[in-house]
Amino acid sequence: MPIKNRFAELLPEITEWRRDMHENPELMYEVHRTAGLVADRLRAFGCDEVVEGIGRTGVVGVIKGKANGSGRVVGLRADMDALPIHEQTGLDYASKTPGKMHACGHDGHTAMLLGAAKYMAETRNFDGTLVLIFQPAEEGGAGAKAMIDDGLMDRWGIDEVYGVHNGPGIPVGEIMTCPGPLQASSDEFEIIVTGKGGHAAEPHKAVDTTLAAAQIVVTLHTIVSRNIDPLGRVVLTVGVFETDSNASNIIPDKARMEGTVRCLEPEARALAEERVRRVAEDTAAAFGAKAEVIWTPGYPVTVNDATSVEYAAEAARAVGMKVDATANPIMPSEDFSYMLEERPGAYLFLGNGDSAQCHHPEYNFNDEAIPYGCSFFAELVERRMPAA
Ligand code: NI
């Protein structure tokens, strides 16, 4: 069976919603206009319940199937926020706000979930309850966590949860995913090294902060492979390095660095933190300096439930999509990870064709992917909660 015919009919309307959101991007939790439009449409579709303000500006819609003998509740999630990037697509529906754009396709994700909602509210051809989750602040604000902290999973009794993200470079009509870790965790560290400043010509009378800090940078790079299995899929990068000296003949008192650690295994994440602290503190001590480590945890590893991946793959194949369910994981992080820590489910990449990469000023969501994303969502719900 190909895509669901109804979505071919709805495509112009869904595309219009998408382009309207594209023209009016909003950042982080400030997605007031977008959330308002989402809530209005969900009400117009005849959703049984529409609740705004979950996780500050998140929206939840509920559609009951024509039966509820199963008592099952499936959650589908889309993100609504844009990025602080100045759009350079030249599209006639390009962002009207300088410095803000939908450069990650969340406009497309929201439009597809709205399209699926319209169809599901019309047909209700399932036995159970569908919960539609529209979240703010995926781009660094942990909007998924904010919605969970507001009771999302328990208030609506969600049993399992699914989401899709567009995938530039993946052909339209294809889905890629894998069981287990799909996207990396993202933690940040700051290290402040304090030595004893002095004259560059007499370093033996000082504690050379720069040298101690530089040695810390080098030693940090031994953590992956010497402490963490080189096959453990971890990346550590120091992106900032600075001292408080502004002359070549001054040994500074302080040096400062910032870095990020990306892991695909939750266990490696804990070990990485422990080793970053140890390496910084003990290397500094070897030079007679001191290091203070500030560790800021970011998004967790996005871990797909293997059985849910199979369900999702079957649904995608049933609507005529090509599925690669053994794709390689990627290192960018994703806050759907918080939802997958709460409930089994799966996250999938939906082909966006030959487009610019996400977070690029020339990126655009591909509207040709809409009927596939909508059909996938609808088929998945009908299969996970089959009507008698
Ligand atoms: Ni994104």
Side-chain angles (χ1 to χ4, degrees), residues 77 79 81 83 103-106 109 138-139 165-166 333-334 347 358-359:
R77 169 274 203 177
D79 39 15
D81 57 320
L83 282 158
C104 203
H106 298 185
H109 304 163
E138 194 286 322
E139 300 288 357
H165 199 290
N166 71 93
S333 61
E334 162 60 57
Y347 201 54
C358 288
H359 297 211

Side-chain angles (χ1 to χ4, degrees), residues 134-363:
F134 295 87
Q135 74 152 83
E138 194 286 322
E139 300 288 357
K145 184 171 186 302
M147 291 189 79
I148 292 164
D149 290 346
D150 258 1
L152 173 70
M153 296 296 170
D154 295 331
R155 179 165 167 187
W156 283 281
I158 295 168
D159 293 311
E160 55 193 289
V161 67
Y162 300 86
V164 297
H165 199 290
N166 71 93
I170 304 171
V172 171
E174 292 192 25
I175 268 187
M176 287 176 76
T177 188
C178 66
L182 176 73
Q183 294 195 236
S185 59
S186 170
D187 298 324
E188 289 181 359
F189 60 83
E190 180 183 8
I191 301 173
I192 297 159
V193 183
T194 309
K196 187 172 156 231
H199 198 297
E202 294 183 314
H204 58 291
K205 292 180 183 169
V207 172
D208 189 343
T209 318
T210 309
L211 185 58
Q215 190 61 51
I216 290 171
V217 174
V218 172
T219 311
L220 286 174
H221 285 79
T222 67
I223 292 174
V224 177
S225 84
R226 268 60 189 173
N227 302 124
I228 294 169
D229 186 337
L231 298 178
R233 303 186 294 183
V234 178
V235 171
L236 181 151
T237 295
V238 175
V240 172
F241 186 97
E242 61 191 14
T243 76
D244 62 0
S245 167
N246 54 11
S248 61
N249 61 355
I250 299 171
I251 290 173
D253 272 324
K254 274 196 174 16
R256 197 183 143 268
M257 69 190 82
E258 285 178 35
T260 183
V261 178
R262 309 293 177 110
C263 300
L264 279 166
E265 318 295 340
E267 312 75 53
R269 198 181 174 199
L271 181 56
E273 178 184 353
E274 185 197 317
R275 288 302 301 163
V276 166
R277 289 183 186 282
R278 184 77 185 266
V279 162
E281 288 163 8
D282 290 4
T283 305
F287 283 82
K290 270 172 81 176
E292 182 196 351
V293 179
I294 299 145
W295 184 271
T296 309
Y299 293 171
V301 185
T302 303
V303 183
N304 276 340
D305 169 58
T307 312
S308 303
V309 167
E310 281 174 33
Y311 296 144
E314 282 164 18
R317 286 193 191 101
V319 290
M321 300 177 74
K322 190 177 161 195
V323 179
D324 177 1
T326 56
N328 284 326
I330 60 169
M331 297 314 272
S333 61
E334 162 60 57
D335 86 342
F336 189 63
S337 51
Y338 289 109
M339 297 199 184
L340 290 175
E341 283 188 336
E342 296 292 314
R343 295 293 187 271
Y347 201 54
L348 307 98
F349 296 109
L350 175 72
N352 201 53
D354 185 20
S355 73
Q357 291 300 307
C358 288
H359 297 211
H360 188 279
E362 288 170 14
Y363 168 86

